[in-house]
Amino acid sequence: MALSNDTALSSLLSKLLQDHLEQTNSSASSQVGTAGGSLEIIYVLMMVGLFGFFTVGVMVTNIRARKLEDSQNPYNMYIATDIWHKKDQEYFQAKLIENYKLCCVFENQLAVEQPSVHIPEEKSS
């Protein structure tokens, strides 16, 4: 009798499993289009989220590194202080005066305008 119960139980379980698989296959075939579309959307959202997370991480790391190096950067200290700007302006003015003193003008006596001399004009034919 134990054998018949085991056989009946296994046949009942196999029948229930077959019924369940048939229901799943029939409902799955009607839902394949909608399930595939939702999975595609989830995949795209995951990729965009991953890309956004990576981008924000790189930006935050870069901003933090620049903020730490800005306090010690001599170029930024050079721009921030007004003393350097004044020294540059004084140097520029000294160079301008030096260049002005070095200038000399040569006068070409032949090229100077002379109202008493008549310049011949070419006659058109």
Side-chain angles (χ1 to χ4, degrees):
M1 218 170 187
L3 284 176
S4 66
N5 277 342
D6 286 340
T7 309
L9 184 62
S10 63
S11 66
L12 177 67
L13 289 175
S14 66
K15 184 169 174 35
L16 286 174
L17 181 62
Q18 286 177 354
D19 289 343
H20 179 68
L21 288 175
E22 287 174 7
Q23 287 178 354
T24 306
N25 287 340
S26 65
S27 64
S29 63
S30 65
Q31 294 177 356
V32 165
T34 60
S38 66
L39 290 178
E40 290 170 358
I41 292 171
I42 290 172
Y43 177 75
V44 169
L45 289 176
M46 272 183 28
M47 290 296 111
V48 169
L50 185 64
F51 177 73
F53 179 75
F54 178 74
T55 305
V56 168
V58 168
M59 284 174 45
V60 166
T61 304
N62 192 13
I63 290 170
R64 186 173 169 211
R66 286 188 182 224
K67 192 174 185 181
L68 291 176
E69 82 177 19
D70 281 346
S71 60
Q72 302 298 325
N73 192 352
Y75 180 72
N76 289 338
M77 290 170 56
Y78 171 80
I79 291 174
T81 59
D82 197 29
I83 297 167
W84 293 102
H85 180 68
K86 288 179 184 176
K87 285 184 179 181
D88 284 344
Q89 192 173 10
E90 290 171 1
Y91 177 75
F92 176 72
Q93 287 175 351
K95 277 294 201 184
L96 188 66
I97 291 170
E98 181 184 335
N99 289 337
Y100 180 72
K101 288 179 180 177
L102 290 176
C103 280
C104 56
V105 178
F106 295 105
E107 185 176 352
N108 185 353
Q109 293 295 331
L110 298 175
V112 175
E113 186 176 338
Q114 300 171 357
S116 61
V117 178
H118 178 70
I119 299 174
E121 294 182 8
E122 186 177 322
K123 295 181 181 178
S124 60
S125 39

